[in-house]
Amino acid sequence: MDSDVYRCLLAKMKKFRVQTRLDLAFDRLTTLGAGGKICIVAFPDSVRKLTKTLKLLRKLHVPFVVLGRGSNVLASDDFFDGVAVVTVHVNRFNVRGRYVRAQCGASTAAVAQALAAKGLHGGEFLGCLPATVGGSVAGNAGCFGQQMADIVCLVTVLDGGKVRHIRANDCFFRRDSVFRRRNMTVLAVRMKFGRSTPQQVRQTMRQMREKKAASQPLGARSAGCVLFHERVAVSRLIDEAGMKGYRLGGAQVSQKHAGFVLNVDNASSKDIYLLIQHLQAVLRRKYGIVAKCEVQLVNFTEHTNDLFAERQE
């Protein structure tokens, strides 16, 4: 980064009262625990400060990435000569009747607890996600028959420097929703839930957590399922191919859930990337399946990103 731009950024962040760190790497900011050092990490603590920060970065043409809890991110081992904007302090939310308005950095687990206390159902799955609301919306996160598409009413985004409000019908929810395809940043979300009782909601949440604990490697360094296909269960095919436990460097396919790649021994991002690529090759060779990478790649080359793109063969 140009030295003048660097100094300007730090001065502006100080003026905006946005906390910055110069000593962090992606391995500290992602659940995979891998990735290289970052030039500047910014921690805005309000939607206003987040918006001002992102507009400034666009104006100065500085590369940036927006992170929540980093639970669906694989960053390269290379130095990131840009800014990582972390939203975990942009985390306010409130419950009014059947509606919840949450800022992008709000913890999904915290929202789930509030729903349980109010006896609101339809968002029990939020208690199973190690994520923020903004990231969950962008990726249409879900499990056990529930997903963000079912509860979102309105999404406030920063789109090309302008704040917009997008209704649920215009979000085109799927793994690569309109937010990712158009490189929008989710700022806040309005969600609607059904009425139930606190006891019933807590029971459903408990059942979901028990199912997750029985089938997934909770507590391990991972980014959840790394591959997906619109028509077939990729994890089942990986299991059938005998890939459970397969290891490359410090990265390993989970013995408990074949869809998870774990950082078991200080894996580099290259280890994890090459293992995902190997799984793709196995699926293509044995089953003719072109599986797409479900993890968001950060600071990889254009060529590397192309390797994860869906191809018709």
Side-chain angles (χ1 to χ4, degrees):
M1 186 185 304
D2 180 83
S3 59
D4 290 337
V5 173
Y6 178 82
R7 287 193 294 269
C8 177
L9 272 177
L10 291 181
K12 288 288 187 180
M13 292 298 99
K14 185 176 182 179
K15 182 178 179 181
F16 294 165
R17 296 186 179 179
V18 172
Q19 179 188 358
T20 56
R21 293 277 300 273
L22 310 179
D23 58 345
L24 292 178
F26 284 107
D27 62 1
R28 295 276 301 278
L29 301 173
T30 63
T31 56
L32 269 169
K37 293 183 179 180
I38 306 163
C39 184
I40 300 173
V41 181
F43 295 91
D45 58 10
S46 70
V47 169
R48 180 173 174 271
K49 291 180 183 180
L50 171 60
T51 302
K52 290 178 71 173
T53 298
L54 296 177
K55 286 183 177 180
L56 175 65
L57 294 172
R58 290 183 182 277
K59 180 180 179 180
L60 297 177
H61 304 289
V62 174
F64 69 90
V65 59
V66 180
L67 299 175
R69 292 188 61 188
S71 57
N72 191 37
V73 173
L74 174 61
S76 80
D77 299 310
D78 298 331
F79 175 71
F80 181 53
D81 193 20
V83 179
V85 182
V86 181
T87 66
V88 293
H89 300 309
V90 188
N91 57 14
R92 297 174 182 82
F93 68 91
N94 60 73
V95 183
R96 293 184 179 178
R98 297 170 58 191
Y99 292 89
V100 174
R101 178 174 172 79
Q103 295 178 344
C104 57
S107 161
T108 51
V111 172
Q113 290 300 321
L115 295 175
K118 296 288 186 178
L120 297 175
H121 81 85
E124 291 89 346
F125 75 105
L126 294 171
C128 296
L129 305 178
T132 58
V133 169
S136 299
V137 169
N140 190 27
C143 57
F144 304 116
Q146 296 179 346
Q147 59 182 350
M148 294 302 296
D150 301 328
I151 58 177
V152 168
C153 302
L154 188 71
V155 183
T156 302
V157 302
L158 185 65
D159 179 15
K162 295 182 178 180
V163 175
R164 293 182 52 203
H165 304 286
I166 303 176
R167 297 190 180 278
N169 290 340
D170 297 320
C171 292
F172 303 103
F173 277 116
R174 53 183 183 178
R175 287 296 192 266
D176 57 341
S177 64
V178 65
F179 311 106
R180 285 181 175 166
R181 283 184 279 123
R182 292 185 54 176
N183 199 27
M184 300 176 183
T185 300
V186 175
L187 300 176
V189 186
R190 190 169 187 249
M191 300 169 282
K192 183 179 180 180
F193 302 91
R195 294 196 182 278
S196 182
T197 66
Q199 295 79 11
Q200 183 59 52
V201 174
R202 290 191 176 102
Q203 180 181 349
T204 301
M205 288 175 61
R206 183 168 57 253
Q207 291 171 344
M208 285 184 176
R209 290 194 189 107
E210 289 173 353
K211 289 180 181 178
K212 186 170 183 176
S215 62
Q216 298 180 13
L218 302 187
R221 286 185 165 183
S222 81
C225 289
V226 295
L227 296 172
F228 78 99
H229 191 276
E230 290 82 357
R231 296 183 300 275
V232 299
V234 172
S235 59
R236 177 178 58 81
L237 296 181
I238 294 173
D239 189 2
E240 289 180 2
M243 296 301 294
K244 273 187 175 180
Y246 184 90
R247 183 164 173 170
L248 195 160
Q252 184 179 48
V253 179
S254 170
Q255 296 275 12
K256 197 169 190 178
H257 191 303
F260 284 60
V261 168
L262 311 180
N263 180 351
V264 295
D265 186 18
N266 295 318
S268 65
S269 293
K270 183 178 180 181
D271 292 340
I272 297 166
Y273 159 67
L274 290 176
L275 181 51
I276 295 173
Q277 188 182 33
H278 180 65
L279 292 176
Q280 285 182 306
V282 169
L283 291 169
R284 187 181 296 112
R285 183 175 64 251
K286 290 182 69 70
Y287 304 104
I289 295 297
V290 179
K292 293 190 287 187
C293 183
E294 195 161 7
V295 179
Q296 298 300 298
L297 300 176
V298 173
N299 202 30
F300 281 85
T301 65
E302 183 177 346
H303 171 68
T304 301
N305 279 297
D306 288 343
L307 293 175
F308 283 107
E310 183 176 26
R311 295 188 180 94
Q312 299 298 326
E313 297 187 352

